[in-house]
Amino acid sequence: MTTTEIATSSIDIFSDEVLQDPYPHYAALREEGAVVYLPRNDLWALTRYRTIRDALENSSVFSSQRVAFNDDMNRALAGTSLATDAPDHRQLRKTLLAPLTPRALKSIEDDIGSKADRLVDDLVARGSFDAIGDLARAFPLQVVSDMIGVQGVARENILRWGEAAFNVLGPMNQRSVENFPVAGELFQWCKTVRQEDLVEGSLGHGIFESAKRGEIAPESCGAIIHQYVAAGMDTTITSIGNAIAHFAAFPDQYARLAADPSLVRSAFNETLRYEPPVNLFGRHVKSDIEVEGTLIPAGAQAAVLFAAGNRDPRHYDDPDTYRIDRDPADHLAFGYGIHTCAGQGLARIEALAILSACARRVRSFRVGEGQRQINNMTRGLSSLPVLEIRAK
Amino acid sequence: MSGVAAMTKGAFLRIDRDRCEGHGQCAIMAPDLLHLDDAGEVVIDVADVSDRMEAARKAVQACPAIALSIE
C-alpha cells in the first residue's frame, strides 16, 4: 500500500477563535485533505462531503462508542442509542424513535402549528423582540416541555441543561469543565424523576407506562427522557435562530420567502446546510482504514465535520452562498445512516411551523447586532434583536 | 438478447424495509414516484424509473437512513 504524507493542521477546532467563525478554518482543512490529522486535538478530521457520508455509512469501522470528545461523557453515554453500535443499537433506536416517527407526530402537528401562530402573532404585535430568547428558545422550550410533560422547576432549568448537554460533549477544555455540573443536574433530574412529576398524557408519562407494561426496563425511563431533553433543545433552538439570522442577513432571500411561503421547507434545508446546528460529532475508529490515501489507525478518534462537508464545493455549487430555493435535502446536519437524527421529524415540524408563521405575516424586518453563543459543539446565537417589523 | 433479460432491464427503486424509518424525505423529493400511506409506510408508485432517473436519484440521496436504492 502506498500511503501519501498525512495532511496535518495545528488548529484547535474547539478554540474560541475557531468556534467564533469556523467556516474559513473548515475550508482550509477541506483543501488540506479529505482526512486531516489535528495533533492539538489528537483527532482525525473528516472534511469533505463524500468522505463524511461514506464514514457514516461504514458504522462498523466508524463506531459510535466515542461520539463525545472526552472519556467521562463517553462513559456517561454508554448504553444509549446514540453511543451504541449494531446489533444492540437496533432495539434502543426503535424505542427512542417510536414517538418521533412522522406517523406518531401527526397527532401533535396541528397543536404545534397553533402554538407557532399564537407566538408569532404576539411578537408581530409587539414589533420588537429578541429573535433568540423570545422566539428561537421560547418555542422549542414550550413544545418539547409540553411533549415530555415537564413542569415546575425542571421546566425553568431546561434551557440551561440543554446548552450544557452539548458543551460537555467537547474535549475537557474550560467550557466543558464549567458545564459538567450543569449537565450533571440534568442527569440527576432524569435519574430521580417519577411518573407523577410529568403531565398525564404526555410522552414522558407514557414512557413510565411502557415500563409498567414490561416493554422497557424501568431503569431506562430516565435515560430515554435524558436523550429527548439533551438532544431536542439546543439543536432546534439554534436552527430556528440561524434561519432568522440568515433571513436578516440576506433580505432578498427573505423577500422571496415572504412572497412564496411554500418555499419554507427548502429554505429550512438550506439553513441546515449553510450552518448546521451541530458542527461535528466523534467516531471511534475500530480497525485500520485507508480513506482517500490516508491510513487512519485503529483506536484513533475521528471528528466528523458535518459543517465542513456541507460547504464542500465538490458537492454543492457556490456553497458559501445562501439560496432558499436550493433545497439541499441531502445535507449532513442530521448525520446519515443508522444514527441519523431520531428527532428530525419533530425538528422539521417545529421549524416549519414557526418559520412559515413568520413568512405568512412579516413582509420584512430589521435587526440589530446579534451575539454569538460559543459552544463546543453547536453553532448558534445567544441574542438577535429584531428592531422593526413590516407586517403584511 | 432473450425475452427474460429484456424484461429485467431498466432501473427500479428498492426499499430496504429493515432500514426504512419512515422519515418521508423520498416522497417529498419525488412525489411522482413514491408516497407514504396512512400507516406511514413508503409505497413505490412507479416501478421502472429508467426515464425518471433525476427524480429517483434525488429521492435516494435524500434518504437519511440509507434505505432507498436504484437497482
Side-chain angles (χ1 to χ4, degrees), chain A residues 49 53 57 90 93 97 102-103 265 315 327 329-330 336-337 340 344 348, chain B residues 18-19 21-25 28-29 38-40 60-66:
Chain A
Y49 183 92
R53 285 261 286 211
E57 182 162 359
R90 195 185 166 81
R93 171 88 181 178
L97 194 69
R103 185 186 171 196
R265 194 190 53 77
H315 188 71
D327 202 6
D330 60 351
Y336 183 61
T340 184
Q344 59 186 282
R348 280 194 197 94
Chain B
D18 219 37
R19 288 183 169 209
E21 295 181 329
H23 295 289
Q25 297 308 293
I28 289 172
M29 296 314 286
D38 291 341
V60 168
Q61 181 76 3
C63 174
I66 326 180

PDB file of all heavy atoms in Angstrom, chain A residues 49 53 57 90 93 97 102-103 265 315 327 329-330 336-337 340 344 348, chain B residues 18-19 21-25 28-29 38-40 60-66:
ATOM      1  N   TYR A  49     -17.607  16.242   1.839  1.00  0.00           N
ATOM      2  CA  TYR A  49     -18.956  15.667   1.838  1.00  0.00           C
ATOM      3  C   TYR A  49     -18.943  14.154   1.634  1.00  0.00           C
ATOM      4  O   TYR A  49     -19.497  13.392   2.426  1.00  0.00           O
ATOM      5  CB  TYR A  49     -19.809  16.347   0.747  1.00  0.00           C
ATOM      6  CG  TYR A  49     -21.240  15.861   0.734  1.00  0.00           C
ATOM      7  CD1 TYR A  49     -22.226  16.511   1.462  1.00  0.00           C
ATOM      8  CD2 TYR A  49     -21.609  14.731  -0.015  1.00  0.00           C
ATOM      9  CE1 TYR A  49     -23.534  16.053   1.466  1.00  0.00           C
ATOM     10  CE2 TYR A  49     -22.910  14.270  -0.013  1.00  0.00           C
ATOM     11  CZ  TYR A  49     -23.869  14.935   0.724  1.00  0.00           C
ATOM     12  OH  TYR A  49     -25.163  14.462   0.720  1.00  0.00           O
ATOM     13  N   ARG A  53     -20.099  11.158   4.276  1.00  0.00           N
ATOM     14  CA  ARG A  53     -21.231  10.235   4.043  1.00  0.00           C
ATOM     15  C   ARG A  53     -20.741   8.784   4.079  1.00  0.00           C
ATOM     16  O   ARG A  53     -21.390   7.918   4.656  1.00  0.00           O
ATOM     17  CB  ARG A  53     -21.886  10.509   2.675  1.00  0.00           C
ATOM     18  CG  ARG A  53     -22.745  11.759   2.643  1.00  0.00           C
ATOM     19  CD  ARG A  53     -24.228  11.484   2.787  1.00  0.00           C
ATOM     20  NE  ARG A  53     -24.879  10.920   1.633  1.00  0.00           N
ATOM     21  CZ  ARG A  53     -26.162  11.151   1.333  1.00  0.00           C
ATOM     22  NH1 ARG A  53     -26.917  11.959   2.066  1.00  0.00           N
ATOM     23  NH2 ARG A  53     -26.719  10.574   0.298  1.00  0.00           N
ATOM     24  N   GLU A  57     -21.808   5.888   6.754  1.00  0.00           N
ATOM     25  CA  GLU A  57     -22.417   4.646   6.262  1.00  0.00           C
ATOM     26  C   GLU A  57     -21.656   3.435   6.802  1.00  0.00           C
ATOM     27  O   GLU A  57     -22.245   2.389   7.085  1.00  0.00           O
ATOM     28  CB  GLU A  57     -22.412   4.647   4.725  1.00  0.00           C
ATOM     29  CG  GLU A  57     -23.075   3.418   4.130  1.00  0.00           C
ATOM     30  CD  GLU A  57     -23.461   3.583   2.665  1.00  0.00           C
ATOM     31  OE1 GLU A  57     -23.240   4.669   2.095  1.00  0.00           O
ATOM     32  OE2 GLU A  57     -23.983   2.608   2.095  1.00  0.00           O
ATOM     33  N   ARG A  90     -30.086  -1.497  17.588  1.00  0.00           N
ATOM     34  CA  ARG A  90     -31.368  -1.599  16.914  1.00  0.00           C
ATOM     35  C   ARG A  90     -32.576  -1.416  17.846  1.00  0.00           C
ATOM     36  O   ARG A  90     -33.471  -0.605  17.592  1.00  0.00           O
ATOM     37  CB  ARG A  90     -31.445  -2.957  16.215  1.00  0.00           C
ATOM     38  CG  ARG A  90     -32.531  -3.043  15.229  1.00  0.00           C
ATOM     39  CD  ARG A  90     -32.617  -4.462  14.658  1.00  0.00           C
ATOM     40  NE  ARG A  90     -33.873  -4.590  13.960  1.00  0.00           N
ATOM     41  CZ  ARG A  90     -34.060  -4.136  12.727  1.00  0.00           C
ATOM     42  NH1 ARG A  90     -33.092  -3.565  12.057  1.00  0.00           N
ATOM     43  NH2 ARG A  90     -35.246  -4.258  12.154  1.00  0.00           N
ATOM     44  N   ARG A  93     -32.741   2.077  19.464  1.00  0.00           N
ATOM     45  CA  ARG A  93     -33.177   3.048  18.462  1.00  0.00           C
ATOM     46  C   ARG A  93     -34.691   2.979  18.255  1.00  0.00           C
ATOM     47  O   ARG A  93     -35.368   3.983  18.161  1.00  0.00           O
ATOM     48  CB  ARG A  93     -32.451   2.741  17.150  1.00  0.00           C
ATOM     49  CG  ARG A  93     -32.925   3.513  15.937  1.00  0.00           C
ATOM     50  CD  ARG A  93     -32.218   4.821  15.800  1.00  0.00           C
ATOM     51  NE  ARG A  93     -32.692   5.560  14.634  1.00  0.00           N
ATOM     52  CZ  ARG A  93     -32.257   6.764  14.309  1.00  0.00           C
ATOM     53  NH1 ARG A  93     -31.357   7.368  15.046  1.00  0.00           N
ATOM     54  NH2 ARG A  93     -32.722   7.386  13.254  1.00  0.00           N
ATOM     55  N   LEU A  97     -37.184   6.021  18.812  1.00  0.00           N
ATOM     56  CA  LEU A  97     -37.805   6.580  17.609  1.00  0.00           C
ATOM     57  C   LEU A  97     -39.330   6.485  17.625  1.00  0.00           C
ATOM     58  O   LEU A  97     -40.003   7.312  16.992  1.00  0.00           O
ATOM     59  CB  LEU A  97     -37.251   5.837  16.381  1.00  0.00           C
ATOM     60  CG  LEU A  97     -37.490   6.453  15.008  1.00  0.00           C
ATOM     61  CD1 LEU A  97     -36.690   7.732  14.832  1.00  0.00           C
ATOM     62  CD2 LEU A  97     -37.128   5.459  13.897  1.00  0.00           C
ATOM     63  N   PRO A 102     -42.875  10.213  11.705  1.00  0.00           N
ATOM     64  CA  PRO A 102     -43.854  11.155  11.144  1.00  0.00           C
ATOM     65  C   PRO A 102     -45.294  10.733  11.461  1.00  0.00           C
ATOM     66  O   PRO A 102     -46.137  11.572  11.753  1.00  0.00           O
ATOM     67  CB  PRO A 102     -43.578  11.092   9.642  1.00  0.00           C
ATOM     68  CG  PRO A 102     -42.138  10.695   9.538  1.00  0.00           C
ATOM     69  CD  PRO A 102     -41.890   9.787  10.705  1.00  0.00           C
ATOM     70  N   ARG A 103     -45.531   9.449  11.470  1.00  0.00           N
ATOM     71  CA  ARG A 103     -46.873   8.957  11.755  1.00  0.00           C
ATOM     72  C   ARG A 103     -47.274   9.291  13.189  1.00  0.00           C
ATOM     73  O   ARG A 103     -48.370   9.771  13.463  1.00  0.00           O
ATOM     74  CB  ARG A 103     -46.898   7.450  11.530  1.00  0.00           C
ATOM     75  CG  ARG A 103     -48.259   6.831  11.686  1.00  0.00           C
ATOM     76  CD  ARG A 103     -48.125   5.321  11.597  1.00  0.00           C
ATOM     77  NE  ARG A 103     -49.374   4.664  11.953  1.00  0.00           N
ATOM     78  CZ  ARG A 103     -49.459   3.390  12.262  1.00  0.00           C
ATOM     79  NH1 ARG A 103     -48.371   2.637  12.259  1.00  0.00           N
ATOM     80  NH2 ARG A 103     -50.614   2.856  12.568  1.00  0.00           N
ATOM     81  N   ARG A 265     -39.868  24.925   3.338  1.00  0.00           N
ATOM     82  CA  ARG A 265     -39.214  23.630   3.539  1.00  0.00           C
ATOM     83  C   ARG A 265     -37.811  23.640   2.924  1.00  0.00           C
ATOM     84  O   ARG A 265     -36.832  23.223   3.536  1.00  0.00           O
ATOM     85  CB  ARG A 265     -40.061  22.510   2.920  1.00  0.00           C
ATOM     86  CG  ARG A 265     -39.672  21.106   3.340  1.00  0.00           C
ATOM     87  CD  ARG A 265     -40.397  20.068   2.491  1.00  0.00           C
ATOM     88  NE  ARG A 265     -40.186  20.324   1.077  1.00  0.00           N
ATOM     89  CZ  ARG A 265     -39.068  20.035   0.437  1.00  0.00           C
ATOM     90  NH1 ARG A 265     -38.079  19.453   1.063  1.00  0.00           N
ATOM     91  NH2 ARG A 265     -38.929  20.332  -0.837  1.00  0.00           N
ATOM     92  N   HIS A 315     -19.418  19.088  -3.837  1.00  0.00           N
ATOM     93  CA  HIS A 315     -20.789  18.575  -3.817  1.00  0.00           C
ATOM     94  C   HIS A 315     -21.842  19.646  -4.085  1.00  0.00           C
ATOM     95  O   HIS A 315     -22.857  19.365  -4.724  1.00  0.00           O
ATOM     96  CB  HIS A 315     -21.081  17.903  -2.469  1.00  0.00           C
ATOM     97  CG  HIS A 315     -22.396  17.182  -2.453  1.00  0.00           C
ATOM     98  ND1 HIS A 315     -22.612  16.014  -3.155  1.00  0.00           N
ATOM     99  CD2 HIS A 315     -23.580  17.482  -1.876  1.00  0.00           C
ATOM    100  CE1 HIS A 315     -23.859  15.609  -2.983  1.00  0.00           C
ATOM    101  NE2 HIS A 315     -24.475  16.490  -2.216  1.00  0.00           N
ATOM    102  N   ASP A 327     -32.810  23.808  -1.908  1.00  0.00           N
ATOM    103  CA  ASP A 327     -33.382  22.565  -1.387  1.00  0.00           C
ATOM    104  C   ASP A 327     -32.375  21.411  -1.276  1.00  0.00           C
ATOM    105  O   ASP A 327     -32.563  20.352  -1.865  1.00  0.00           O
ATOM    106  CB  ASP A 327     -34.587  22.120  -2.238  1.00  0.00           C
ATOM    107  CG  ASP A 327     -35.508  21.185  -1.443  1.00  0.00           C
ATOM    108  OD1 ASP A 327     -35.271  20.983  -0.227  1.00  0.00           O
ATOM    109  OD2 ASP A 327     -36.467  20.640  -2.043  1.00  0.00           O
ATOM    110  N   ALA A 329     -31.691  18.652   0.276  1.00  0.00           N
ATOM    111  CA  ALA A 329     -32.257  17.671   1.208  1.00  0.00           C
ATOM    112  C   ALA A 329     -31.221  16.649   1.673  1.00  0.00           C
ATOM    113  O   ALA A 329     -31.454  15.919   2.633  1.00  0.00           O
ATOM    114  CB  ALA A 329     -33.435  16.956   0.545  1.00  0.00           C
ATOM    115  N   ASP A 330     -30.077  16.603   0.981  1.00  0.00           N
ATOM    116  CA  ASP A 330     -29.057  15.614   1.339  1.00  0.00           C
ATOM    117  C   ASP A 330     -27.965  16.216   2.237  1.00  0.00           C
ATOM    118  O   ASP A 330     -26.884  15.655   2.364  1.00  0.00           O
ATOM    119  CB  ASP A 330     -28.422  15.037   0.066  1.00  0.00           C
ATOM    120  CG  ASP A 330     -27.751  16.119  -0.783  1.00  0.00           C
ATOM    121  OD1 ASP A 330     -27.915  17.325  -0.475  1.00  0.00           O
ATOM    122  OD2 ASP A 330     -27.066  15.761  -1.758  1.00  0.00           O
ATOM    123  N   TYR A 336     -26.191  10.790   9.071  1.00  0.00           N
ATOM    124  CA  TYR A 336     -26.578   9.928   7.947  1.00  0.00           C
ATOM    125  C   TYR A 336     -26.433   8.487   8.412  1.00  0.00           C
ATOM    126  O   TYR A 336     -25.511   8.178   9.176  1.00  0.00           O
ATOM    127  CB  TYR A 336     -25.638  10.205   6.766  1.00  0.00           C
ATOM    128  CG  TYR A 336     -25.917   9.457   5.486  1.00  0.00           C
ATOM    129  CD1 TYR A 336     -27.125   9.619   4.812  1.00  0.00           C
ATOM    130  CD2 TYR A 336     -24.956   8.599   4.950  1.00  0.00           C
ATOM    131  CE1 TYR A 336     -27.367   8.949   3.624  1.00  0.00           C
ATOM    132  CE2 TYR A 336     -25.186   7.930   3.752  1.00  0.00           C
ATOM    133  CZ  TYR A 336     -26.393   8.110   3.093  1.00  0.00           C
ATOM    134  OH  TYR A 336     -26.623   7.448   1.919  1.00  0.00           O
ATOM    135  N   GLY A 337     -27.344   7.613   7.969  1.00  0.00           N
ATOM    136  CA  GLY A 337     -27.197   6.190   8.292  1.00  0.00           C
ATOM    137  C   GLY A 337     -27.926   5.797   9.569  1.00  0.00           C
ATOM    138  O   GLY A 337     -28.919   6.421   9.939  1.00  0.00           O
ATOM    139  N   THR A 340     -28.720   8.540  12.121  1.00  0.00           N
ATOM    140  CA  THR A 340     -29.290   9.817  11.672  1.00  0.00           C
ATOM    141  C   THR A 340     -30.266  10.337  12.724  1.00  0.00           C
ATOM    142  O   THR A 340     -30.973   9.561  13.373  1.00  0.00           O
ATOM    143  CB  THR A 340     -29.975   9.657  10.290  1.00  0.00           C
ATOM    144  OG1 THR A 340     -30.433  10.936   9.856  1.00  0.00           O
ATOM    145  CG2 THR A 340     -31.182   8.732  10.349  1.00  0.00           C
ATOM    146  N   GLN A 344     -35.445  14.314  13.868  1.00  0.00           N
ATOM    147  CA  GLN A 344     -35.516  15.231  12.731  1.00  0.00           C
ATOM    148  C   GLN A 344     -36.943  15.531  12.285  1.00  0.00           C
ATOM    149  O   GLN A 344     -37.218  16.636  11.809  1.00  0.00           O
ATOM    150  CB  GLN A 344     -34.676  14.739  11.560  1.00  0.00           C
ATOM    151  CG  GLN A 344     -35.045  13.391  11.007  1.00  0.00           C
ATOM    152  CD  GLN A 344     -34.037  12.953   9.931  1.00  0.00           C
ATOM    153  OE1 GLN A 344     -34.081  13.406   8.804  1.00  0.00           O
ATOM    154  NE2 GLN A 344     -33.095  12.097  10.289  1.00  0.00           N
ATOM    155  N   ARG A 348     -38.299  19.318  12.135  1.00  0.00           N
ATOM    156  CA  ARG A 348     -38.882  19.904  10.922  1.00  0.00           C
ATOM    157  C   ARG A 348     -40.249  20.502  11.206  1.00  0.00           C
ATOM    158  O   ARG A 348     -40.563  21.607  10.759  1.00  0.00           O
ATOM    159  CB  ARG A 348     -39.019  18.839   9.823  1.00  0.00           C
ATOM    160  CG  ARG A 348     -37.750  18.558   9.093  1.00  0.00           C
ATOM    161  CD  ARG A 348     -38.017  17.772   7.798  1.00  0.00           C
ATOM    162  NE  ARG A 348     -36.768  17.185   7.363  1.00  0.00           N
ATOM    163  CZ  ARG A 348     -36.385  15.946   7.669  1.00  0.00           C
ATOM    164  NH1 ARG A 348     -37.191  15.155   8.338  1.00  0.00           N
ATOM    165  NH2 ARG A 348     -35.213  15.505   7.274  1.00  0.00           N
TER     166      ARG A 348
ATOM    167  N   ASP B  18     -36.101  -3.005   6.343  1.00  0.00           N
ATOM    168  CA  ASP B  18     -35.405  -3.162   7.611  1.00  0.00           C
ATOM    169  C   ASP B  18     -34.768  -1.843   8.058  1.00  0.00           C
ATOM    170  O   ASP B  18     -34.668  -1.557   9.240  1.00  0.00           O
ATOM    171  CB  ASP B  18     -34.314  -4.218   7.402  1.00  0.00           C
ATOM    172  CG  ASP B  18     -34.189  -5.103   8.610  1.00  0.00           C
ATOM    173  OD1 ASP B  18     -35.239  -5.398   9.217  1.00  0.00           O
ATOM    174  OD2 ASP B  18     -33.047  -5.485   8.936  1.00  0.00           O
ATOM    175  N   ARG B  19     -34.336  -1.065   7.085  1.00  0.00           N
ATOM    176  CA  ARG B  19     -33.656   0.198   7.391  1.00  0.00           C
ATOM    177  C   ARG B  19     -34.612   1.385   7.402  1.00  0.00           C
ATOM    178  O   ARG B  19     -34.343   2.394   8.045  1.00  0.00           O
ATOM    179  CB  ARG B  19     -32.569   0.482   6.353  1.00  0.00           C
ATOM    180  CG  ARG B  19     -31.364  -0.426   6.485  1.00  0.00           C
ATOM    181  CD  ARG B  19     -30.317  -0.028   5.458  1.00  0.00           C
ATOM    182  NE  ARG B  19     -29.049  -0.693   5.699  1.00  0.00           N
ATOM    183  CZ  ARG B  19     -27.875  -0.183   5.368  1.00  0.00           C
ATOM    184  NH1 ARG B  19     -27.811   0.984   4.765  1.00  0.00           N
ATOM    185  NH2 ARG B  19     -26.767  -0.833   5.627  1.00  0.00           N
ATOM    186  N   GLU B  21     -37.143   4.099   8.196  1.00  0.00           N
ATOM    187  CA  GLU B  21     -37.711   4.578   9.461  1.00  0.00           C
ATOM    188  C   GLU B  21     -38.879   5.523   9.222  1.00  0.00           C
ATOM    189  O   GLU B  21     -39.390   6.133  10.163  1.00  0.00           O
ATOM    190  CB  GLU B  21     -36.627   5.285  10.290  1.00  0.00           C
ATOM    191  CG  GLU B  21     -35.500   4.352  10.730  1.00  0.00           C
ATOM    192  CD  GLU B  21     -34.444   5.060  11.576  1.00  0.00           C
ATOM    193  OE1 GLU B  21     -34.226   6.271  11.368  1.00  0.00           O
ATOM    194  OE2 GLU B  21     -33.857   4.397  12.451  1.00  0.00           O
ATOM    195  N   GLY B  22     -39.287   5.665   7.959  1.00  0.00           N
ATOM    196  CA  GLY B  22     -40.457   6.489   7.650  1.00  0.00           C
ATOM    197  C   GLY B  22     -40.232   7.987   7.742  1.00  0.00           C
ATOM    198  O   GLY B  22     -41.174   8.732   7.996  1.00  0.00           O
ATOM    199  N   HIS B  23     -38.976   8.464   7.538  1.00  0.00           N
ATOM    200  CA  HIS B  23     -38.744   9.910   7.592  1.00  0.00           C
ATOM    201  C   HIS B  23     -39.471  10.656   6.467  1.00  0.00           C
ATOM    202  O   HIS B  23     -39.720  11.853   6.567  1.00  0.00           O
ATOM    203  CB  HIS B  23     -37.246  10.217   7.541  1.00  0.00           C
ATOM    204  CG  HIS B  23     -36.490   9.711   8.742  1.00  0.00           C
ATOM    205  ND1 HIS B  23     -36.613  10.287   9.981  1.00  0.00           N
ATOM    206  CD2 HIS B  23     -35.641   8.654   8.897  1.00  0.00           C
ATOM    207  CE1 HIS B  23     -35.845   9.616  10.848  1.00  0.00           C
ATOM    208  NE2 HIS B  23     -35.254   8.627  10.217  1.00  0.00           N
ATOM    209  N   GLY B  24     -39.754   9.938   5.373  1.00  0.00           N
ATOM    210  CA  GLY B  24     -40.611  10.503   4.323  1.00  0.00           C
ATOM    211  C   GLY B  24     -39.935  11.464   3.366  1.00  0.00           C
ATOM    212  O   GLY B  24     -40.606  12.096   2.550  1.00  0.00           O
ATOM    213  N   GLN B  25     -38.607  11.584   3.434  1.00  0.00           N
ATOM    214  CA  GLN B  25     -37.922  12.552   2.567  1.00  0.00           C
ATOM    215  C   GLN B  25     -37.967  12.142   1.096  1.00  0.00           C
ATOM    216  O   GLN B  25     -38.002  12.987   0.204  1.00  0.00           O
ATOM    217  CB  GLN B  25     -36.470  12.740   3.022  1.00  0.00           C
ATOM    218  CG  GLN B  25     -36.348  13.317   4.424  1.00  0.00           C
ATOM    219  CD  GLN B  25     -37.155  14.585   4.582  1.00  0.00           C
ATOM    220  OE1 GLN B  25     -36.848  15.607   3.984  1.00  0.00           O
ATOM    221  NE2 GLN B  25     -38.233  14.527   5.350  1.00  0.00           N
ATOM    222  N   ILE B  28     -41.121  13.375  -0.467  1.00  0.00           N
ATOM    223  CA  ILE B  28     -41.116  14.830  -0.663  1.00  0.00           C
ATOM    224  C   ILE B  28     -40.293  15.178  -1.905  1.00  0.00           C
ATOM    225  O   ILE B  28     -40.681  16.024  -2.705  1.00  0.00           O
ATOM    226  CB  ILE B  28     -40.553  15.538   0.589  1.00  0.00           C
ATOM    227  CG1 ILE B  28     -41.565  15.447   1.744  1.00  0.00           C
ATOM    228  CG2 ILE B  28     -40.217  16.995   0.288  1.00  0.00           C
ATOM    229  CD1 ILE B  28     -41.054  15.940   3.074  1.00  0.00           C
ATOM    230  N   MET B  29     -39.163  14.492  -2.075  1.00  0.00           N
ATOM    231  CA  MET B  29     -38.278  14.827  -3.195  1.00  0.00           C
ATOM    232  C   MET B  29     -38.792  14.291  -4.531  1.00  0.00           C
ATOM    233  O   MET B  29     -38.514  14.873  -5.570  1.00  0.00           O
ATOM    234  CB  MET B  29     -36.859  14.282  -2.938  1.00  0.00           C
ATOM    235  CG  MET B  29     -36.152  14.902  -1.740  1.00  0.00           C
ATOM    236  SD  MET B  29     -36.281  16.697  -1.660  1.00  0.00           S
ATOM    237  CE  MET B  29     -35.157  17.186  -2.971  1.00  0.00           C
ATOM    238  N   ASP B  38     -51.286   5.729   4.763  1.00  0.00           N
ATOM    239  CA  ASP B  38     -51.843   6.244   6.027  1.00  0.00           C
ATOM    240  C   ASP B  38     -51.091   5.704   7.239  1.00  0.00           C
ATOM    241  O   ASP B  38     -51.085   6.318   8.306  1.00  0.00           O
ATOM    242  CB  ASP B  38     -53.332   5.888   6.141  1.00  0.00           C
ATOM    243  CG  ASP B  38     -54.145   6.666   5.119  1.00  0.00           C
ATOM    244  OD1 ASP B  38     -53.636   7.689   4.630  1.00  0.00           O
ATOM    245  OD2 ASP B  38     -55.278   6.241   4.794  1.00  0.00           O
ATOM    246  N   ALA B  39     -50.461   4.540   7.075  1.00  0.00           N
ATOM    247  CA  ALA B  39     -49.712   3.956   8.186  1.00  0.00           C
ATOM    248  C   ALA B  39     -48.272   4.478   8.231  1.00  0.00           C
ATOM    249  O   ALA B  39     -47.485   4.065   9.072  1.00  0.00           O
ATOM    250  CB  ALA B  39     -49.724   2.434   8.066  1.00  0.00           C
ATOM    251  N   GLY B  40     -47.926   5.379   7.294  1.00  0.00           N
ATOM    252  CA  GLY B  40     -46.575   5.933   7.273  1.00  0.00           C
ATOM    253  C   GLY B  40     -45.572   5.068   6.539  1.00  0.00           C
ATOM    254  O   GLY B  40     -44.373   5.320   6.593  1.00  0.00           O
ATOM    255  N   VAL B  60     -33.251   9.016  -3.550  1.00  0.00           N
ATOM    256  CA  VAL B  60     -32.249   8.139  -2.926  1.00  0.00           C
ATOM    257  C   VAL B  60     -31.278   8.965  -2.077  1.00  0.00           C
ATOM    258  O   VAL B  60     -30.974   8.634  -0.934  1.00  0.00           O
ATOM    259  CB  VAL B  60     -31.477   7.341  -4.006  1.00  0.00           C
ATOM    260  CG1 VAL B  60     -30.250   6.656  -3.414  1.00  0.00           C
ATOM    261  CG2 VAL B  60     -32.403   6.323  -4.667  1.00  0.00           C
ATOM    262  N   GLN B  61     -30.826  10.067  -2.656  1.00  0.00           N
ATOM    263  CA  GLN B  61     -29.841  10.924  -1.994  1.00  0.00           C
ATOM    264  C   GLN B  61     -30.419  11.544  -0.718  1.00  0.00           C
ATOM    265  O   GLN B  61     -29.698  11.788   0.247  1.00  0.00           O
ATOM    266  CB  GLN B  61     -29.403  12.010  -2.999  1.00  0.00           C
ATOM    267  CG  GLN B  61     -28.350  12.983  -2.507  1.00  0.00           C
ATOM    268  CD  GLN B  61     -26.940  12.388  -2.482  1.00  0.00           C
ATOM    269  OE1 GLN B  61     -26.728  11.252  -2.883  1.00  0.00           O
ATOM    270  NE2 GLN B  61     -25.998  13.160  -1.986  1.00  0.00           N
ATOM    271  N   ALA B  62     -31.730  11.790  -0.700  1.00  0.00           N
ATOM    272  CA  ALA B  62     -32.360  12.464   0.448  1.00  0.00           C
ATOM    273  C   ALA B  62     -32.685  11.512   1.590  1.00  0.00           C
ATOM    274  O   ALA B  62     -32.984  11.967   2.685  1.00  0.00           O
ATOM    275  CB  ALA B  62     -33.637  13.173  -0.002  1.00  0.00           C
ATOM    276  N   CYS B  63     -32.639  10.205   1.353  1.00  0.00           N
ATOM    277  CA  CYS B  63     -32.987   9.263   2.424  1.00  0.00           C
ATOM    278  C   CYS B  63     -31.903   9.283   3.501  1.00  0.00           C
ATOM    279  O   CYS B  63     -30.757   8.925   3.242  1.00  0.00           O
ATOM    280  CB  CYS B  63     -33.138   7.840   1.888  1.00  0.00           C
ATOM    281  SG  CYS B  63     -33.407   6.673   3.256  1.00  0.00           S
ATOM    282  N   PRO B  64     -32.252   9.701   4.730  1.00  0.00           N
ATOM    283  CA  PRO B  64     -31.219   9.792   5.766  1.00  0.00           C
ATOM    284  C   PRO B  64     -30.810   8.430   6.332  1.00  0.00           C
ATOM    285  O   PRO B  64     -29.772   8.316   6.977  1.00  0.00           O
ATOM    286  CB  PRO B  64     -31.889  10.649   6.850  1.00  0.00           C
ATOM    287  CG  PRO B  64     -33.355  10.453   6.673  1.00  0.00           C
ATOM    288  CD  PRO B  64     -33.568  10.152   5.212  1.00  0.00           C
ATOM    289  N   ALA B  65     -31.626   7.408   6.083  1.00  0.00           N
ATOM    290  CA  ALA B  65     -31.402   6.103   6.707  1.00  0.00           C
ATOM    291  C   ALA B  65     -30.768   5.086   5.753  1.00  0.00           C
ATOM    292  O   ALA B  65     -30.642   3.909   6.103  1.00  0.00           O
ATOM    293  CB  ALA B  65     -32.716   5.567   7.256  1.00  0.00           C
ATOM    294  N   ILE B  66     -30.377   5.542   4.554  1.00  0.00           N
ATOM    295  CA  ILE B  66     -29.782   4.676   3.516  1.00  0.00           C
ATOM    296  C   ILE B  66     -30.679   3.468   3.248  1.00  0.00           C
ATOM    297  O   ILE B  66     -30.223   2.328   3.168  1.00  0.00           O
ATOM    298  CB  ILE B  66     -28.351   4.201   3.889  1.00  0.00           C
ATOM    299  CG1 ILE B  66     -27.582   5.268   4.682  1.00  0.00           C
ATOM    300  CG2 ILE B  66     -27.553   3.832   2.648  1.00  0.00           C
ATOM    301  CD1 ILE B  66     -26.165   4.876   5.090  1.00  0.00           C
TER     302      ILE B  66
END
